[in-house]
Amino acid sequence: MGWAIALHGGAGDIPHSLPPDRRLPREAGLRHCLDVGIAALKAHKHPLDVVELVVRELENYPHFNAGKGSVLTSSGTVEMEASIMDGKSKKCGAVSGLSTVVNAVSLARLVMEKTPHIYLGFHGAEAFAREQGVEAADPSYFITPENIERLKQAQDANRVQIDYTQPVQKEAKDAAATIPNGDSQIGTVGCVAVDSEGNLASATSTGGLVNKMAGRIGDSPIIGAGTYANHLCAVSATGKGEAMIRGTVARDVAAVMEFKGLSLKEAAAYVIDQVPPGNAGLVAVSSTGEIATVFNTTGMFRACASEDGYSEVAIWDSPLK
């Protein structure tokens, strides 16, 4: 048994031709956030503090679909959501519909710790954020030129886009219809961690889908779908929220471990295999320090490390393939 950490920056149709100027900043961001998490675990920070810290870093990184890099709704607005969960106590918090909160994951933790509730959304969540004095910014802070362009491309293609999905234009029905630089969207973020005593935690944050309807809620803030942690494992999922919610993906990994007696890797592979191809990915750690990073999409931006010296930053080559 030892500490372990895994994080992701989104799963989807990530082309192997992704140009270096699009790929390298994301890899560097994952590596930086992994180092932050490792340092916190080595300093004996609780996993709940570690996952919040790492996800905050990812939210502040504009190359990912959370916080500063959040994608836009069909109305051209930002609606961010996040959740966080402690494995030992099963305490959890979640938020949706945020338009001014800089770090949604931290507001989710405040919901967990400062209210009798689990989930706050939209105006109520924003009011609670103001009461708690969390860092806020004008909505324009979150709306980047890249995401304005992504929304336009998605609307031109008349579709809602999952992380990294290549848009298909109305006039073109072949695979060549992609946006400039082969990059249509950035990815949901999440982190899971376990310390040397077996304490587990998970957190997930996102801006949702490009061109989603205003008011749409995905899997990231839903405990058991996008985020879950108990005494066995911690899971953070990414992909198409509707598929993750139907499959109760994050909770099912823990359930399969508990009721079928499978290892973390076996359980994660089994659960992702039940989701329609091209829709899902997850990162997970077990109480014994096992790590799983599984997806049925082309790729998933991810990073992981463990106390025994193992470390990886990767995009493609799913264990399922």
Side-chain angles (χ1 to χ4, degrees):
M1 183 183 294
W3 61 258
I5 183 171
L7 52 138
H8 68 77
D13 182 16
I14 307 171
H16 285 79
S17 59
L18 193 67
D21 65 326
R22 298 284 180 170
R23 173 176 55 84
L24 295 177
R26 290 170 180 146
E27 290 180 344
L30 290 173
R31 188 170 289 105
H32 165 73
C33 292
L34 180 63
D35 289 343
V36 167
I38 291 172
L41 285 167
K42 286 183 175 179
H44 306 291
K45 298 289 187 182
H46 191 280
L48 194 64
D49 296 324
V50 174
V51 298
E52 181 187 4
L53 176 64
V54 170
V55 171
R56 282 177 61 95
E57 289 286 320
L58 288 163
E59 287 174 335
N60 294 338
Y61 216 78
H63 296 283
F64 296 113
N65 179 13
K68 173 66 174 174
S70 292
V71 297
L72 306 181
T73 70
S74 59
S75 300
T77 58
V78 167
E79 292 183 357
M80 299 169 285
E81 49 195 24
S83 61
I84 190 168
M85 187 169 189
D86 174 64
K88 186 175 183 179
S89 66
K90 290 190 180 178
K91 290 182 178 179
C92 50
V95 289
S96 282
L98 302 180
S99 59
T100 68
V101 176
V102 172
N103 294 112
V105 69
S106 292
L107 187 63
R109 184 168 181 178
L110 286 170
V111 171
M112 179 183 77
E113 296 180 340
K114 302 292 185 180
T115 81
H117 309 305
I118 289 175
Y119 200 154
L120 293 179
F122 297 88
H123 298 304
E126 288 280 348
F128 176 65
R130 290 191 294 272
E131 290 173 7
Q132 295 298 309
V134 302
E135 184 180 1
D138 186 87
S140 62
Y141 164 83
F142 305 95
I143 301 176
T144 66
E146 292 81 5
N147 283 333
I148 292 173
E149 181 62 20
R150 287 186 177 95
L151 175 62
K152 181 179 183 299
Q153 289 154 354
Q155 291 177 333
D156 287 346
N158 193 29
R159 68 184 291 176
V160 174
Q161 291 175 197
I162 186 179
D163 292 346
Y164 297 103
T165 298
Q166 303 300 302
V168 178
Q169 305 299 330
K170 295 175 183 177
E171 301 82 5
K173 299 184 179 181
D174 56 42
T178 59
I179 73 166
N181 298 316
D183 177 29
S184 70
Q185 195 175 344
I186 49 185
T188 296
V189 304
C191 180
V192 292
V194 59
D195 64 16
S196 57
E197 297 179 357
N199 296 304
L200 291 147
S202 175
T204 311
S205 181
T206 189
L209 299 176
V210 176
N211 200 30
K212 66 181 180 180
M213 293 175 63
R216 179 261 188 188
I217 294 172
D219 67 297
S220 295
I222 296 181
I223 302 302
T227 300
Y228 192 74
N230 66 1
H231 65 290
L232 293 173
C233 66
V235 183
S236 175
T238 175
K240 188 170 183 180
E242 285 72 11
M244 318 300 275
I245 294 169
R246 293 186 189 103
T248 58
V249 168
R251 166 59 184 157
D252 271 12
V253 174
V256 169
M257 289 182 70
E258 183 172 1
F259 301 120
K260 292 179 71 72
L262 299 186
S263 69
L264 177 71
K265 290 183 178 180
E266 291 169 337
Y270 174 84
V271 170
I272 291 297
D273 196 43
Q274 306 307 304
V275 181
N279 282 279
L282 64 82
V283 297
V285 293
S286 73
S287 60
T288 58
E290 187 181 9
I291 298 172
T293 60
V294 188
F295 49 96
N296 65 12
T297 55
T298 304
M300 179 173 70
F301 280 99
R302 63 198 188 276
C304 57
S306 56
E307 191 169 353
D308 62 10
Y310 173 75
S311 180
E312 177 186 58
V313 176
I315 306 172
W316 298 287
D317 298 324
S318 169
L320 290 181
K321 297 180 180 180

